[in-house]
Amino acid sequence: MKYTVGKEKQYFLDNDSNRVMLQLEGLFDFPEKACEVISSRHAIRQFWCSTQNIEYFHIVVPNKETVLKHYLPDNIAFEKHGPRPIVKYLNFTKSHKINTFYRSELLEEKNLLDKYYYRTDSHWTTKGAVQYLRCFLELYLPTLFDTASTLEYETRRLQFAGDLGCHLGDSEEIEDIFLSQDNFKILFEGKLTNEGHVWHTCSKVKTSGGKAIILHDSFTHSLFSTISTLFSETLFIHSPDLDLSLIRKFGPDVIIFIQAERFLPRYISNELYVEPWLRDLALKKNPQDRTAEYFAKLESLSSKDAQ
């Protein structure tokens, strides 16, 4: 993992496989054709969902490097050569009615207690994740926003060595939040790490959230407990791609794709065949994994069983 050190020892991703700094400086090759392809695939998802009376949303999580741009190394010129890919994409989709939520200003740290991103890590804190999710819910799913506002969190101080700082043996003490109560149960958790990891959960509390499929990357780990509480039943899949037949099989009320800003330029697919994909991943990563078999017999819980 390539990294760089900014002001006040903030650690940032450098030009890794996602070319984060090139994106920030406006040097990343992201033409209008790329915007067209990506937005059309989101449009297909929205259309398929609408035929099943399902809502589809795309949440883009701001890069740490975007929000904390004032801490970047002096040699990095933010958007000096043009707009970032996310800016180009949002401008392109203004008239396309794609439900994309991106608000980097919501995570600007106004005081020392905010800490929406780790100093030594490329990810956001749970405090930052919950703040962003609540703002999304208030705009798009207000009844769930009301429920989310009643959830109680406790604050804990912890010593943390992030995915970037660990390269230099650096750690930090940070104050973060955790749900006060165990409000959900895990029905299934796969043995695959990162891509292909699946959680299937149900809430223990009364909620109007219905059922949800959450497509995601590692940024959603901080929201696992909160989302699992808000929806009566949730299927988390660590993948940007969607098996359209899964919509009919699982019968969700909502599909949310949560994606880090740096991954936006990657083309998404709606042609995933989830069971063979999971079997192939198991052969490569962990032959003990049985996620594909779980999907083969997956049936949605009834509302009564989910409570």
Side-chain angles (χ1 to χ4, degrees):
M1 180 177 288
K2 295 183 178 180
Y3 62 92
T4 187
V5 184
K7 299 178 180 69
E8 298 188 23
K9 291 193 72 176
Q10 287 282 353
Y11 293 92
F12 298 104
L13 287 170
D14 204 341
N15 284 314
D16 64 345
S17 59
N18 302 296
R19 301 294 186 265
V20 173
M21 291 304 174
L22 291 180
Q23 289 191 37
L24 284 180
E25 293 189 285
L27 291 169
F28 188 87
D29 184 21
F30 190 68
E32 185 173 295
K33 179 63 177 178
C35 295
E36 181 181 349
V37 171
I38 294 170
S39 64
S40 69
R41 293 177 184 179
H42 282 292
I44 289 171
R45 292 181 181 185
Q46 285 188 185
F47 172 76
W48 268 73
C49 286
S50 68
T51 65
Q52 306 296 313
N53 199 28
I54 299 165
E55 294 186 277
Y56 175 78
F57 301 102
H58 178 210
I59 298 177
V60 180
V61 180
N63 288 337
K64 173 184 177 181
E65 294 77 11
T66 297
V67 176
L68 301 184
K69 55 183 175 290
H70 299 301
Y71 293 92
L72 289 170
D74 290 332
N75 64 317
I76 302 299
F78 187 79
E79 291 192 320
K80 178 181 179 180
H81 303 282
R84 292 167 288 133
I86 181 62
V87 175
K88 292 181 180 179
Y89 180 77
L90 292 175
N91 287 335
F92 180 84
T93 59
K94 277 181 180 177
S95 60
H96 290 68
K97 297 182 179 179
I98 305 296
N99 289 333
T100 297
F101 179 81
Y102 178 82
R103 298 280 300 278
S104 60
E105 71 277 7
L106 296 174
L107 296 175
E108 292 177 359
E109 299 173 358
K110 297 177 176 61
N111 59 66
L112 295 176
L113 296 178
D114 283 345
K115 291 297 180 186
Y116 293 148
Y117 291 85
Y118 297 105
R119 180 179 66 81
T120 63
D121 198 277
S122 61
H123 295 81
W124 55 7
T125 62
T126 303
K127 186 180 291 187
V130 170
Q131 160 82 354
Y132 202 66
L133 178 67
R134 282 178 174 173
C135 293
F136 161 77
L137 294 174
E138 186 174 22
L139 183 62
Y140 287 107
L141 298 170
T143 59
L144 279 188
F145 170 75
D146 294 339
T147 303
S149 299
T150 67
L151 298 181
E152 296 182 359
Y153 296 84
E154 61 184 52
T155 301
R156 301 179 197 166
R157 295 196 69 82
L158 62 149
Q159 196 69 26
F160 180 81
D163 61 354
L164 301 177
C166 66
H167 292 286
L168 294 174
D170 195 2
S171 65
E172 61 185 308
E173 186 175 290
I174 191 167
E175 189 176 272
D176 209 351
I177 60 173
F178 300 84
L179 267 180
S180 300
Q181 296 181 333
D182 181 13
N183 294 323
F184 67 96
K185 63 180 179 180
I186 299 174
L187 304 173
F188 176 82
E189 181 173 2
K191 296 181 182 296
L192 300 176
T193 57
N194 297 320
E195 185 184 26
H197 190 199
V198 167
W199 287 305
H200 186 192
T201 66
C202 67
S203 179
K204 293 181 181 179
V205 301
K206 187 176 181 180
T207 175
S208 61
K211 294 173 287 185
I213 291 176
I214 309 295
L215 304 176
H216 66 90
D217 52 44
S218 57
F219 273 76
T220 299
H221 294 176
S222 297
L223 290 170
F224 174 61
S225 299
T226 299
I227 291 176
S228 294
T229 302
L230 291 176
F231 291 98
S232 60
E233 186 180 353
T234 311
L235 187 63
F236 296 87
I237 308 174
H238 192 128
S239 170
D241 302 325
L242 178 62
D243 182 340
L244 293 176
S245 66
L246 183 63
I247 297 174
R248 290 197 178 99
K249 185 173 185 179
F250 186 71
D253 299 286
V254 177
I255 295 178
I256 304 175
F257 173 32
I258 306 176
Q259 177 184 42
E261 177 185 337
R262 62 179 182 259
F263 298 138
L264 177 78
R266 300 182 184 181
Y267 286 4
I268 59 173
S269 171
N270 297 320
E271 299 178 356
L272 180 68
Y273 293 96
V274 68
E275 290 173 33
W277 172 68
L278 289 166
R279 289 192 183 94
D280 288 344
L281 286 176
L283 289 174
K284 297 173 184 176
K285 292 184 174 185
N286 189 340
Q288 303 302 313
D289 180 72
R290 292 292 177 267
T291 309
E293 288 78 1
Y294 185 78
F295 267 75
K297 61 181 181 181
L298 180 65
E299 293 182 1
S300 179
L301 297 177
S302 68
S303 297
K304 181 178 178 180
D305 291 335
Q307 299 299 325

